[in-house]
Each structure stands twice: as structure tokens, then as C-alpha cells.
């Protein structure tokens, strides 16, 4: 996930993309570039996708879930022709075809409305949410907590100080009707219990503000208990 990775919200630099593309060259490796959040970029110029830097060695997937509606269950794929041939065969064997009604809905939408304007509108809204979340984190969170500054996507990734547990934070926050995702759910080795994924796309600004205030109080309580 070179763009606005889920869960960390981080984006690969142009240099890193070039390095990975160079490393792929001459190998038999196919890299899967999951670009679900690529359209939701807030800052800086667009970055070249891996599928453009190493087209023979990359399979890129995109989704309508983040820019139109997750309920459509539609996405797309860019792949070398011989890989695409196998993908089409495998997909036909597994589900015959994607829901044609949903495809028609998406196609009509794309025909009728300029998608770039829609993406610019939601990107502007998510950028405001991101800015609000980061400003509130700086104002309210204890100094020992650190976080990423995502340049796109939907998530901020917190790192808690030693002694804190994201699972305990999750349970305490939920009691106050604040939903966070404990970072350990993203780890396969049992690590990550001092990390937390926060989402800024879902709640509106007043709710985001209230949620951050409640979370800050819970965090401060955990830190007091840990010290
Ligand atoms: C990393 C990543 N890839 C892809 C998707 C989109 O999946 P889908 O198109 O099945 O909704 C998501 C959505 O949560 C995601 O986080």
C-alpha cells in the first residue's frame, strides 16, 4: 500500500517507489499494489504508482469503496496482459461476474457526474477532518503519545508510551461510545499493543471533536494508572 497505508496512514516517497521498482526488475516477483486510498490525497503532488514504474512486475488494485460507496462492492485492477488473463479466468470460476446492476450504477454515475469534482469535494472534507484531528491531538493528548501525519486516506496511527495497552484503551473508550482500533489487530506476531488506529473520515466535525476530548480523558487516565 504505497499510498496512505491502512492502518498507519503513511505514504511511500518517490525515492522508495523507484527503489522498489528497481528491486523488482529482472525478478519473477509480482508485486500487488493495493491502492484503495490513492484518490484521497490531501497534500503534495500525485506520486507515480508502482504499476507505472514497474508495469511488468506489478498488479494494482483500486476500489470504489472509498470514493463512491462500499456497498457497490466494485473495484478494478491493472495488470500485465498475461496476468489479467489468469485473473479473469479465476474470477469467472469463483463468482461468474461482478454484480452487473452495481456496475451499471457506477458506470451511469461516472458518465453523469465529473468524478474528479466529487473526489475533490470529499478529499477537501477529509482533509479538514484530518487537520481537526491532528490539531486536537496536539492540544489534548498527553506529551508521551505520538502520531503520524497522513497526507491522504482515512487514518492516523498513534503510538502510546510504555505501560499503556491499546486493548485496554479500546475497552475504556468504548464505554464512552468512542470507537478506536487497537493496533495489535494489524500484527501477526502478537506485537503492536502500544499502537492505535484512529479514523477521521466517518464522524462529522462536532462528533470528531467530542470523540477526541473523550479519548484524551481516557488516555490521561491510562497514563496516570501506568505511572
Ligand atoms: C487496504 C485496503 N484495501 C482495499 C480496501 C477496499 O476493499 P473493497 O474494495 O473490498 O471494499 C480497503 C477497505 O477497507 C482497504 O483498507
Amino acid at each position: 500500500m504505497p499510498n496512505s497505508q491502512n492502518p498507519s496512514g503513511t505514504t511511500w516517497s518517490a525515492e522508495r517507489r523507484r527503489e522498489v521498482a528497481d528491486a523488482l526488475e529482472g525478478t519473477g516477483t509480482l508485486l500487488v499494489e493495493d491502492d484503495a486510498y490513492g484518490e484521497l490525497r490531501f497534500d503534495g503532488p500525485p506520486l507515480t504508482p508502482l504499476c507505472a514504474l514497474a508495469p511488468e512486475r506489478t498488479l494494482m488494485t483500486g476500489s470504489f469503496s472509498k470514493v463512491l460507496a462500499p456497498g457497490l462492492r466494485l473495484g478494478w485492477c491493472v495488470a500485465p496482459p498475461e496476468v489479467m488473463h489468469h485473473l479473469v479466468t479465476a474470477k469467472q470460476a469463483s463468482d461468474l461476474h461482478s454484480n452487473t446492476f452495481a456496475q451499471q450504477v457506477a458506470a451511469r454515475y461516472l458518465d453523469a457526474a465529473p468524478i474528479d469534482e466529487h473526489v475533490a469535494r470529499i478529499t477537501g472534507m477529509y482533509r479538514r477532518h484530518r487537520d481537526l484531528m491532528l490539531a486536537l491531538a496536539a492540544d489534548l493528548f498527553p506529551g508521551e503519545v505520538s502520531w503520524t501525519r497522513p497526507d491522504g486516506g482515512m487514518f492516523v496511527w498513534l503510538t502510546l508510551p510504555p505501560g499503556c495497552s491499546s486493548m485496554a484503551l479500546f475497552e475504556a473508550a468504548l464505554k464512552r461510545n468512542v470507537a478506536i482500533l487497537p493496533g495489535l489487530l494489524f500484527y501477526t506476531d502478537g506485537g503492536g499493543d502500544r499502537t492505535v488506529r484512529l479514523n477521521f473520515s466517518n464522524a462529522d466535525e462536532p462528533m470528531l471533536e467530542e470523540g477526541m476530548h473523550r479519548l484524551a480523558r481516557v488516555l490521561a487516565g491510562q497514563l496516570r494508572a501506568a505511572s
Side-chain angles (χ1 to χ4, degrees):
M1 285 175 255
N3 289 322
S4 308
Q5 200 245 2
N6 180 6
S8 69
T10 53
T11 292
W12 285 8
S13 65
E15 295 70 39
R16 183 152 191 214
R17 286 160 200 255
R18 187 72 262 162
E19 282 167 15
V20 173
D22 289 347
L24 285 169
E25 206 171 303
T27 69
T29 301
L30 188 68
L31 179 129
V32 178
E33 179 175 27
D34 181 350
D35 196 33
Y37 300 92
E39 286 86 14
L40 304 178
R41 184 159 168 78
F42 312 145
D43 311 316
L47 290 160
T48 311
L50 263 293
C51 76
L53 295 174
E56 296 309 313
R57 302 259 56 90
T58 307
L59 185 166
M60 188 232 237
T61 62
S63 175
F64 284 109
S65 291
K66 312 299 167 187
V67 290
L68 265 191
L72 288 174
R73 309 304 324 141
L74 285 181
W76 63 88
C77 180
V78 181
E82 67 280 11
V83 176
M84 190 62 92
H85 171 75
H86 290 297
L87 286 176
V88 169
T89 308
K91 183 155 168 32
Q92 280 172 351
S94 66
D95 69 355
L96 295 182
H97 51 72
S98 296
N99 174 346
T100 44
F101 179 72
Q103 291 186 66
Q104 282 290 341
V105 171
R108 293 267 185 102
Y109 184 91
L110 293 175
D111 272 348
I115 185 74
D116 291 346
E117 282 178 23
H118 169 69
V119 169
R121 195 164 55 243
I122 57 172
T123 305
M125 183 177 75
Y126 292 161
R127 184 190 293 111
R128 286 196 302 279
H129 286 201
R130 187 247 354 228
D131 290 345
L132 179 63
M133 180 173 267
L134 293 180
L136 288 164
D139 276 356
L140 304 171
F141 285 178
E144 303 95 312
V145 180
S146 60
W147 52 87
T148 56
R149 184 180 193 285
D151 55 12
M154 302 181 168
F155 310 114
V156 170
W157 185 244
L158 299 187
T159 303
L160 309 175
C164 285
S165 146
S166 66
M167 214 51 184
L169 186 70
F170 163 73
E171 280 160 15
L174 204 57
K175 286 193 185 128
R176 289 153 185 84
N177 284 333
V178 178
I180 60 171
L181 217 54
L184 61 84
L185 299 177
F186 295 97
Y187 285 71
T188 54
D189 62 0
D193 194 33
R194 287 200 289 116
T195 56
V196 175
R197 193 191 78 175
L198 299 184
N199 170 284
F200 54 79
S201 62
N202 185 269
D204 62 17
E205 280 151 304
M207 198 183 277
L208 205 57
E209 193 152 356
E210 176 61 27
M212 287 293 281
H213 275 91
R214 290 186 197 184
L215 186 60
R217 284 196 290 273
V218 176
L219 254 174
Q222 266 220 341
L223 279 180
R224 270 197 305 277
S227 64

